[in-house]
Amino acid sequence: MGVYRFEGGDTVKNLFVSGHRACAGCGMAIAVKLILEAAGEDVIVVSPTGCLEIVSSPYPETSWRVPWIHSLFENAASVASGIEAGLKALGRKHEAKVLAIAGDGATADIGMGPLSGMFERGHDITYICYDNEAYMNTGVQRSSMTPPGASATTSPAGKVSFGEIHPKKDLASIAVAHGVGYVATASVGYGLDLMRKVRRAIDHDGPSFIHLHTSCCTGWRHPSSKTIEISRLAVLTGLWPLYEVVDGEITDVKRLPKRLPVEDYLKTQGRFSHLFRMEGGEEIIRRIQAIADANAERFGLDLEG
Amino acid sequence: MEVVEGSYAVAHAVKCCRPHVISAYPITPQTHIVENLAQFVADGELECEFVPVDSEHSAMSVALGASAVGARAYSASTSQGLALMWEVLYNVSGMRLPVVMTAVNRALSAPLSIWNDQQDTVGARDSGWIQIYVEDIQEAHDALIQAYRIAESREVMLPAMICMDGFILTHTYEPVVLAEQEETDDFLPPYDPEYYLTVERPLSFGCFAEPDKFMEFRYMQHEAMERARFKIKEVADEFERAFGRYYGDLIQGYNLDGAQIVLVTFGSIIGTMKEIVKHEKDVGILKIRSYRPFPVKEVREALKDARVVAVVEKDFSAGFEGALFSDVKAALYNHVSDLKLLGFVLGLGGRDIPPEDISKIIERSRVVMDQGLKEEWEFIGLRGEIL
């Protein structure tokens, strides 16, 4: 088990250990390592079917140094609910916090009902959706979280298509609408911010939700060395605003001294490359810029108007 | 002895088993069971986490999570609900979690029907769950207590469903001996799993298996089912000693001595059959109590002296025949000769099964005994004017 020094001089155990089968440069794998560093050893983790589960648990091997369970694709929130209820009933609530780490398809599509139920019933669970914006495990099919203008294998760019056309679901707002007390967005590009939010979410009593942007170099088509840089560009262009919502109030927004144009983000990835080649692509880019502008307006991203 | 509704009797048995987590989604005719349980919790008679979920899929998923963390878990469902949790059924048994559920038997849509048949649980036959079919309310109550003993024993570690006919057993009132808490505690020890989710010993549950390992997991499930045969018998005997009631082990025979015709079936229809058979000196009944594990040797032994066997069931596989009929034939093949087998499907979607239907089946069996086999299986009670 790896042990290394963390900011402030504390030693931190690596709880998501090397040897997993994630692609080089996988944003999710980096994020999960940071999440567990922040969470510590006293957690029980639930992962639905997806990249995370597949890369970390080929029997008889495991990357998990904390108790971990995978059941099915759509039921992470329900399994987590059962674990939390079981701990309560057994008088072991103090033993561990329950943490679900699930992809965007498992969360926003097939697992939406169970997640809503988990929120509504008020279970003390931290649910983190790592959003890499498509069904990466099955081969980059579009999900409801695939952003407009991206080419995915079931929303491909073609002679008469610019790829995905629908906007992403606003998962954080869905959580807030359930009355979830702690909601945050995060990015693998901002590790310390992510870790701080994970700690807050876990310390929060009742359900909490983190919508975490994690680049997928395979699906987004960028070099594996660019994961952090590209994840940061999503934030710096205003396409992925970082904020917290505590008890329904936006409390913390990462403001941008100088917001970058969305092209700076889009041009780094193969999934958007058609926008720069196809006639009419500039109109799609203009619409994507409008999304960033609306985010800037809504969250007050720009330090100087 | 008290006169109670079937659903109340089941809920009472569940309460006596002290489950830590109950998770369910309402669906007719399972509702009264979970309503009673919720009331027990509301009245402080039962200390547990009652999790009212968003779907049956979630109901079984919550039970799965609870069981994995070392809690005793219960759920109840029927028909569409059982179908919706189908995926989780396989997952629970594959992970060897001893969840117990009451599966109320109801037809599957379409056409929509809230009424009884057994298509739903027969459809879940291959899900790796122990399936026990009960004949009356007392057995539904008692089998539930037995189920936890069987499912949670270290040599079994498989989930179990107690299958009871919807409305016929859930919504009727019968005199029932309700279990005492103390005698249940004596009979059923607390759940003590060897493996469970805990930070004291971090384990990974639900890993995936490559083709070079998957089959062994399935085979081990099968071995556990084989051990469950003995466990079901052992627990039935111990239950009799503790509570004074007995329903057979994997099977139960009625009037089998000297019977030339044997009716084979499961569920509440046996009550109607007994009324008819008691007037017929050469007709017996073989109740299949445990459908999985299937009582292969017991069926062979029980039917070896019969001349005609009529398998009667409230389910069928479109394009073939009733599932129980197929299974009984398969168990006998190569082992019993000179035996004619007939299959009858009846009572689908709550169609009433009057005593005359049973008499008709016995008549058909007599004709086969005298004249040989013509039609191997048929529907009983079809209304020609609707076809």
Side-chain angles (χ1 to χ4, degrees):
Chain A
M1 189 183 298
V3 177
Y4 59 96
R5 295 183 74 77
F6 182 50
E7 187 190 41
D10 295 325
T11 52
V12 173
K13 279 183 186 171
N14 186 3
L15 299 170
F16 186 72
V17 299
S18 58
H20 62 71
R21 302 173 177 191
C23 306
C26 172
M28 171 204 75
I30 298 167
V32 169
K33 186 163 161 288
L34 298 177
I35 289 166
L36 289 189
E37 278 178 19
E41 290 175 281
D42 295 336
V43 288
I44 295 176
V45 177
V46 184
S47 305
T49 311
C51 277
L52 178 56
E53 165 264 333
I54 285 292
V55 305
S56 66
S57 70
Y59 177 86
E61 296 162 14
T62 181
S63 294
W64 299 90
R65 294 292 183 219
V66 291
W68 175 85
I69 183 169
H70 154 253
S71 167
L72 296 162
F73 197 6
E74 65 277 63
N75 68 355
S78 304
V79 171
S81 299
I83 290 170
E84 189 251 10
L87 286 173
K88 256 195 218 170
L90 291 162
R92 286 168 48 201
K93 186 81 174 62
H94 60 279
E95 180 193 311
K97 286 285 201 163
V98 183
L99 178 62
I101 310 176
D104 48 297
T107 302
D109 291 347
I110 199 166
M112 193 84 242
L115 180 63
S116 177
M118 183 204 102
F119 284 159
E120 166 268 319
R121 293 187 303 270
H123 294 278
D124 187 14
I125 294 166
T126 296
Y127 190 108
I128 300 174
C129 169
Y130 68 90
D131 182 1
N132 54 24
E133 305 192 318
Y135 289 92
M136 298 317 189
N137 186 44
T138 44
V140 203
Q141 294 83 17
R142 65 87 65 180
S143 76
S144 65
M145 302 309 286
T146 302
S151 181
T153 54
T154 52
S155 61
K159 284 175 187 159
V160 295
S161 167
F162 292 105
E164 180 58 42
I165 54 172
H166 303 290
K168 286 167 74 77
K169 277 189 197 176
D170 185 353
L171 279 186
S173 292
I174 290 171
V176 170
H178 281 79
V180 173
Y182 181 82
V183 177
T185 60
S187 163
V188 68
Y190 295 87
L192 289 176
D193 179 70
L194 166 64
M195 291 171 74
R196 183 178 61 83
K197 286 168 173 170
V198 168
R199 204 52 249 173
R200 278 194 188 177
I202 286 178
D203 289 341
H204 174 80
D205 229 7
S208 52
F209 180 76
I210 296 175
H211 191 184
L212 167 65
H213 202 226
T214 56
S215 125
C216 166
C217 33
T218 310
W220 295 11
R221 286 181 272 145
H222 63 70
S224 57
S225 59
K226 298 288 185 192
T227 300
I228 300 300
E229 186 180 322
I230 288 171
S231 297
R232 285 186 178 187
L233 281 170
V235 173
L236 296 173
T237 53
L239 283 170
W240 191 263
L242 294 179
Y243 59 94
E244 288 174 297
V245 188
V246 178
D247 296 330
E249 300 295 322
I250 297 175
T251 56
D252 187 32
V253 176
K254 180 175 173 56
R255 295 181 196 281
L256 308 171
K258 188 180 181 338
R259 188 154 53 90
L260 301 175
V262 295
E263 284 94 333
D264 287 10
Y265 174 66
L266 302 177
K267 71 187 179 197
T268 60
Q269 301 159 59
R271 63 176 175 160
F272 295 115
S273 60
H274 56 286
L275 300 179
F276 298 92
R277 285 196 313 269
M278 287 172 67
E279 197 179 326
E282 64 281 0
E283 169 58 18
I284 304 299
I285 294 173
R286 197 187 61 72
R287 288 186 209 164
I288 296 171
Q289 184 62 55
I291 294 171
D293 294 345
N295 284 339
E297 177 75 19
R298 181 178 167 201
F299 296 103
L301 296 181
D302 297 327
L303 261 180
E304 290 169 27
Chain B
M1 190 173 286
E2 293 175 55
V3 177
V4 297
E5 195 194 40
S7 295
Y8 180 88
V10 170
H12 176 88
V14 173
K15 182 180 75 172
C16 290
C17 292
R18 300 187 189 273
H20 297 104
V21 176
I22 295 172
S23 174
Y25 186 84
I27 177 169
T28 304
Q30 153 265 34
T31 40
H32 290 187
I33 296 173
V34 291
E35 286 168 7
N36 278 305
L37 286 165
Q39 193 65 51
F40 290 150
V41 175
D43 291 338
E45 290 178 38
L46 170 58
E47 272 186 51
C48 80
E49 290 295 315
F50 185 91
V51 189
V53 283
D54 45 280
S55 74
E56 287 88 355
H57 195 285
S58 285
M60 190 47 68
S61 299
V62 166
L64 182 153
S67 186
V69 83
R72 180 172 286 164
Y74 174 79
S75 189
S77 193
T78 178
S79 179
Q80 311 305 131
L82 193 71
L84 186 57
M85 63 170 68
W86 196 88
E87 179 191 30
V88 199
L89 295 179
Y90 277 75
N91 206 241
V92 167
S93 64
M95 291 172 80
R96 307 293 296 277
L97 298 170
V99 175
V100 169
M101 76 177 297
T102 303
V104 174
N105 284 112
R106 169 187 145 179
L108 281 163
S109 182
L112 178 63
S113 167
I114 60 166
W115 306 104
N116 166 247
D117 68 33
Q118 292 162 331
Q119 194 73 48
D120 52 357
T121 54
V122 167
R125 178 191 69 179
D126 300 335
S127 62
W129 283 58
I130 292 167
Q131 281 197 340
I132 290 175
Y133 288 71
V134 300
E135 180 181 337
D136 58 24
I137 293 173
Q138 186 73 61
E139 191 183 357
H141 166 282
D142 292 352
L144 200 285
I145 298 169
Q146 296 180 9
Y148 278 110
R149 269 287 296 273
I150 299 161
E152 292 174 357
S153 70
R154 290 273 175 93
E155 62 265 47
V156 175
M157 288 300 285
L158 288 172
M161 61 176 79
I162 303 302
C163 309
M164 70 187 292
D165 284 324
F167 291 112
I168 298 167
L169 296 183
T170 53
H171 285 57
T172 49
Y173 284 69
E174 280 181 6
V176 178
V177 181
L178 295 172
E180 301 287 338
Q181 185 62 60
E182 202 174 314
E183 61 180 348
T184 313
D185 289 342
D186 289 344
F187 179 77
L188 178 66
Y191 177 38
D192 177 28
E194 193 173 358
Y195 303 106
Y196 58 97
L197 290 167
T198 172
V199 298
E200 306 299 327
R201 183 177 52 158
L203 298 173
S204 293
F205 279 52
C207 295
F208 74 90
E210 302 271 14
D212 64 335
K213 301 182 189 76
F214 183 92
M215 264 207 325
E216 286 66 27
F217 283 96
R218 278 287 178 270
Y219 183 75
M220 286 189 280
Q221 267 178 273
H222 175 66
E223 284 187 321
M225 270 290 181
E226 291 298 310
R227 291 193 293 272
R229 294 177 189 284
F230 301 101
K231 201 72 195 173
I232 292 168
K233 286 179 190 175
E234 182 188 310
V235 169
D237 290 342
E238 283 185 33
F239 189 89
E240 186 183 21
R241 281 196 289 280
F243 292 84
R245 295 185 294 275
Y246 183 74
Y247 308 93
D249 37 50
L250 300 169
I251 59 165
Q252 191 174 34
Y254 181 78
N255 264 6
L256 283 183
D257 274 351
Q260 300 203 68
I261 295 169
V262 177
L263 308 177
V264 181
T265 194
F266 42 33
S268 65
I269 191 178
I270 289 165
T272 312
M273 279 183 178
K274 281 179 177 169
E275 280 303 306
I276 303 297
V277 165
K278 70 184 180 191
H279 305 297
E280 310 261 353
K281 70 175 192 330
D282 61 343
V283 183
I285 301 168
L286 179 64
K287 166 167 113 177
I288 303 295
R289 186 162 180 266
S290 169
Y291 188 37
R292 285 296 179 275
F294 192 73
V296 180
K297 286 179 185 154
E298 292 80 357
V299 165
R300 282 177 199 151
E301 178 62 26
L303 299 179
K304 68 180 189 324
D305 297 326
R307 290 181 61 196
V308 176
V309 167
V311 180
V312 183
E313 59 196 308
K314 298 186 235 178
D315 68 89
F316 85 112
S317 172
F320 192 29
E321 61 191 14
L324 182 60
F325 186 36
S326 297
D327 285 356
V328 170
K329 281 195 292 187
L332 296 176
Y333 196 80
N334 284 342
H335 293 271
V336 179
S337 53
D338 296 334
L339 177 61
K340 295 286 178 264
L341 283 117
L342 297 170
F344 297 94
V345 171
L346 77 184
L348 299 185
R351 176 68 51 87
D352 191 31
I353 303 169
E356 300 80 63
D357 281 0
I358 308 298
S359 299
K360 192 186 285 180
I361 288 167
I362 294 170
E363 272 318 299
R364 294 271 205 284
S365 304
R366 289 199 191 288
V367 170
V368 169
M369 199 154 59
D370 297 339
Q371 302 172 15
L373 191 62
K374 287 178 190 142
E375 294 296 322
E376 205 177 57
W377 80 283
E378 64 176 300
F379 276 79
I380 294 289
L382 277 182
R383 294 179 59 195
E385 69 274 24
I386 297 179
L387 297 174

